[in-house]
Amino acid sequence: MENTNIDRETLRELADEGNETALDRLADLADAAGHLEELSELLDEGSMHAGSLLTRRAAAAGDLRELQRISDAGSRLEQLLRASADESRD
């Protein structure tokens, strides 16, 4: 398989269209660059991978407030997903 260099703009477009792999790749790039704000935004968009990366960083730093924020975001995401699933069944 050929190693293809995909730019951030293309990844963003794919993520906006619902491609979770592109969203995960954006999270990896943000993590590698140390862009915590971008990781937080990706978590808010529903990226569980971004949440995992942020959790790892917060745990390593002993940042309990950030761990709580990440937990709260995950709980909200779960509620939204459950509500969406319930609506699609009706």
Side-chain angles (χ1 to χ4, degrees):
M1 182 179 225
E2 185 179 321
N3 185 5
T4 305
N5 185 15
I6 300 173
D7 62 81
R8 288 179 93 83
E9 185 176 321
T10 301
L11 288 170
R12 172 57 25 208
E13 289 172 7
L14 292 170
D16 288 346
E17 292 175 8
N19 186 306
E20 288 186 38
T21 302
L23 195 62
D24 289 349
R25 183 69 182 120
L26 284 171
D28 288 334
L29 293 173
D31 183 54
H35 294 148
L36 300 181
E37 186 174 320
E38 184 178 356
L39 274 174
S40 291
E41 290 170 4
L42 292 167
L43 174 62
D44 291 343
E45 290 179 39
S47 172
M48 298 307 287
H49 185 57
S52 295
L53 295 170
L54 284 167
T55 299
R56 185 193 75 219
R57 284 175 170 272
D63 188 340
L64 298 179
R65 287 192 172 120
E66 181 64 6
L67 286 168
Q68 182 63 54
R69 189 193 75 75
I70 294 165
S71 175
D72 291 346
S75 296
R76 286 192 306 270
L77 177 60
E78 287 297 318
Q79 290 170 349
L80 290 171
L81 291 174
R82 277 193 216 109
S84 175
D86 290 344
E87 287 175 7
S88 67
R89 284 188 218 132
D90 293 338

